[in-house]
Amino acid sequence: EPEVTQTPSHQVTQMGQEVILRCVPISNHLYFYWYRQILGQKVEFLVSFYNNEISEKSEIFDDQFSVERPDGSNFTLKIRSTKLEDSAMYFCASSEEGTAHFGNGTRLTVT
Amino acid sequence: QKEVEQNSGPLSVPEGAIASLNCTYSDRVSQSFFWYRQYSGKSPELIMSIYSNGDKEDGRFTAQLNKASQYVSLLIRDSQPSDSATYLCAVRSAQAGTALIFGKGTTLSVSS
């Protein structure tokens, strides 16, 4: 069964550094998403991407964040100048139109 | 502010019993409803989707939707210890595009 693939599984970075989280969505899916989940809290929507542009974003997704689809398969989330509170699980998801399928996530730890 | 509310639990049931998980949502124009299962440290895994009022069954799982009451539930029949996980209710509103709004989840513990 096709799946969403995320790398790395765990990323440790120092405060103030930039990180790039990578995702390979399911190949025939058209919608791509990033969500995050701070430990013990709910899954929160960050951004959705359709037709090579951002279609929606939440209040969390400010200028510190950016997304890109650099080629036909990858979908990336860049977090600039990381803060301690950016520590969380970051999930990529993709969908054709209806249900979203999630990758295994990247655990980001900012020290 | 669109919100999805779930009782955080834990909900404890013996093996073989029926587990009932509930969810309410605030946005009246919500159109699509999903139940995900999340094991500790893992990603959400889709169990069921439901779009119309009434019941939808898939194996041991039944989702129930009542849009007038803004209420969606998940029943798990013949609960197994492997069902022990956090169950996330997620809602999509046409006004919010395709993004999912999640509840905080209900932790289910099935004892053998």
Side-chain angles (χ1 to χ4, degrees), chain A residues 52-97:
Chain A
N52 288 321
E53 60 182 22
I54 291 174
S55 52
E56 315 150 76
K57 58 183 181 179
S58 71
E59 293 176 350
I60 302 169
F61 194 87
D62 58 19
D63 291 343
Q64 186 191 4
F65 296 90
S66 61
V67 290
E68 194 175 53
R69 189 162 162 79
D71 54 44
S73 59
N74 289 286
F75 179 51
T76 63
L77 174 69
K78 182 187 290 186
I79 309 174
R80 288 179 282 273
S81 189
T82 50
K83 300 174 282 193
L84 294 176
E85 53 264 40
D86 294 326
S87 295
M89 282 289 287
Y90 288 81
F91 294 110
C92 175
S94 69
S95 70
E96 287 181 271
E97 194 171 353

Side-chain angles (χ1 to χ4, degrees), chain B residues 3 5-7 11 16-18 29-30 39 42 44 49 53 56-57 64 69-70 80 86 92 96 101 106 109 111:
Chain B
E3 292 190 354
E5 298 290 340
Q6 296 180 255
N7 188 330
L11 173 65
I18 296 175
V29 298
S30 297
Y39 293 110
K42 303 295 185 183
S49 59
N53 279 329
K56 179 181 178 183
E57 187 174 318
Q64 299 174 316
S69 300
Q70 294 177 234
Q80 301 297 309
T86 298
R92 174 183 294 141
I101 307 300
T106 298
S109 176
S111 55

Side-chain angles (χ1 to χ4, degrees), chain A residues 20-39:
Chain A
I20 297 176
L21 310 183
R22 304 181 190 280
C23 170
V24 179
I26 295 173
S27 62
N28 63 335
H29 284 185
L30 303 176
Y31 298 86
F32 314 125
Y33 309 87
W34 285 102
Y35 290 84
R36 80 173 183 189
Q37 187 176 29
I38 296 170
L39 185 64

Side-chain angles (χ1 to χ4, degrees), chain A residues 33-37 41-45 91 93 100 102, chain B residues 2-6 23-24 34-38 43-46 87-92 98-105:
Chain A
Y33 309 87
W34 285 102
Y35 290 84
R36 80 173 183 189
Q37 187 176 29
Q41 299 188 23
K42 63 183 177 182
V43 176
E44 300 175 290
F45 167 71
F91 294 110
F102 284 74
Chain B
K2 302 177 180 66
E3 292 190 354
V4 177
E5 298 290 340
Q6 296 180 255
C23 171
T24 59
F34 306 87
W35 283 100
Y36 285 83
R37 178 174 61 198
Q38 186 176 34
S43 62
E45 173 192 7
L46 180 70
Y87 289 79
L88 309 179
C89 174
V91 173
R92 174 183 294 141
T98 60
L100 294 176
I101 307 300
F102 282 86
K104 197 171 178 181

Side-chain angles (χ1 to χ4, degrees), chain B residues 23-75:
Chain B
C23 171
T24 59
Y25 58 94
S26 63
D27 187 1
R28 282 200 166 273
V29 298
S30 297
Q31 293 185 328
S32 307
F33 306 87
F34 306 87
W35 283 100
Y36 285 83
R37 178 174 61 198
Q38 186 176 34
Y39 293 110
S40 181
K42 303 295 185 183
S43 62
E45 173 192 7
L46 180 70
I47 298 174
M48 290 189 69
S49 59
I50 186 166
Y51 305 102
S52 304
N53 279 329
D55 295 0
K56 179 181 178 183
E57 187 174 318
D58 183 0
R60 296 187 296 113
F61 300 96
T62 299
Q64 299 174 316
L65 175 61
N66 184 326
K67 290 187 178 181
S69 300
Q70 294 177 234
Y71 175 90
V72 58
S73 66
L74 180 70
L75 299 178

